[in-house]
């Protein structure tokens, strides 16, 4: 394989980063859309996975965590417990392995609470809801803490 120049590395980095960010934001647009078609549901799944892929090429563990969290949320919204739980667990593994705290730790627990909620495991749901609430007390910014707490209220 030929040597890759710094310019080519920079172009690849820029491409992956821009693509990851754009796809992540497009997923949010679809998540927030009041009525999605079946095709848009599949686009949302594909875009979330594609965003995570691109972060995996150039990102940091916090990007990997947030990508797994978003994939889990997509599956939660679509009421698909098995992949929702798979990605929520992967998210928590990344957060714990890399000692990611604050907002991301609370949301890792939130994702698990949500996954267990849609799978019908109320004991596990309550466990992770409590862990999310506990972790939210350690969030530095009030605005971030409020986002987490508000999101926790949406778990059935």
């Amino acid at each position: 394989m030929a040597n890759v120049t710094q310019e080519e590395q920079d172009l690849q980095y820029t491409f992956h980063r821009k693509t990851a960010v754009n796809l992540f934001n497009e997923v949010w647009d679809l998540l927030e859309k009041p009525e999605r078609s079946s095709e848009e549901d599949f686009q949302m799944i594909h875009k979330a996975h594609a965003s995570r892929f691109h972060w995996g090429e150039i990102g940091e563990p916090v990007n990997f965590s947030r990508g797994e969290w978003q994939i889990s949320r997509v599956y939660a919204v679509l009421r698909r417990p098995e992949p929702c739980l798979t990605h929520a667990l992967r998210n928590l593994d990344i957060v714990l392995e890399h000692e990611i705290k604050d907002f991301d730790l609370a949301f890792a627990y939130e994702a698990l609470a949500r996954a267990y909620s849609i799978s019908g495991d109320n004991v596990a749901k309550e466990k992770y809801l409590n862990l999310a609430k506990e972790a939210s007390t350690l969030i530095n910014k009030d605005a971030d803490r409020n986002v987490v707490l508000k999101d926790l209220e949406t778990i059935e």
Side-chain angles (χ1 to χ4, degrees):
M1 178 178 248
N3 290 339
V4 178
T5 67
Q6 185 61 48
E7 181 180 4
E8 290 169 325
Q9 288 177 0
D10 292 346
L11 286 172
Q12 288 176 1
Y13 176 88
T14 300
F15 167 76
H16 285 298
R17 187 177 193 296
K18 184 175 182 178
T19 303
V21 169
N22 287 341
L23 288 166
F24 189 91
N25 291 335
E26 289 172 20
V27 170
W28 273 115
D29 291 342
L30 288 167
L31 281 168
E32 293 174 347
K33 189 173 181 181
E35 293 184 33
R36 284 181 312 278
S37 68
S38 177
E39 182 59 30
E40 288 171 321
D41 287 346
F42 281 109
Q43 287 177 7
M44 190 168 57
I45 291 167
H46 297 314
K47 288 178 183 205
H49 282 280
S51 174
R52 171 60 181 88
F53 167 80
H54 287 284
W55 278 123
E57 294 296 299
I58 52 90
E60 301 289 327
V62 71
N63 304 118
F64 310 155
S65 164
R66 291 175 183 172
E68 295 295 338
W69 177 89
Q70 188 182 58
I71 294 168
S72 179
R73 177 55 70 94
V74 164
Y75 286 120
V77 166
L78 297 175
R79 312 288 299 169
R80 296 189 49 197
E82 190 275 331
C84 178
L85 182 58
T86 297
H87 291 280
L89 288 167
R90 185 155 164 74
N91 177 24
L92 182 62
D93 287 346
I94 293 166
V95 165
L96 296 177
E97 178 183 345
H98 296 281
E99 299 180 357
I100 302 170
K101 305 284 186 214
D102 204 78
F103 183 89
D104 296 288
L105 177 61
F107 265 112
Y109 291 134
E110 171 275 335
L112 280 163
R114 193 173 301 279
Y116 284 119
S117 174
I118 67 169
S119 71
D121 186 339
N122 288 325
V123 172
K125 174 189 84 171
E126 289 301 321
K127 172 186 173 181
Y128 286 102
L129 263 177
N130 290 330
L131 287 169
K133 290 174 185 173
E134 184 180 314
S136 72
T137 66
L138 304 174
I139 295 174
N140 290 325
K141 294 180 183 176
D142 290 340
D144 289 346
R145 184 178 319 103
N146 291 336
V147 168
V148 171
L149 294 173
K150 185 176 179 186
D151 206 41
L152 292 176
E153 292 174 3
T154 66
I155 297 175
E156 301 169 355

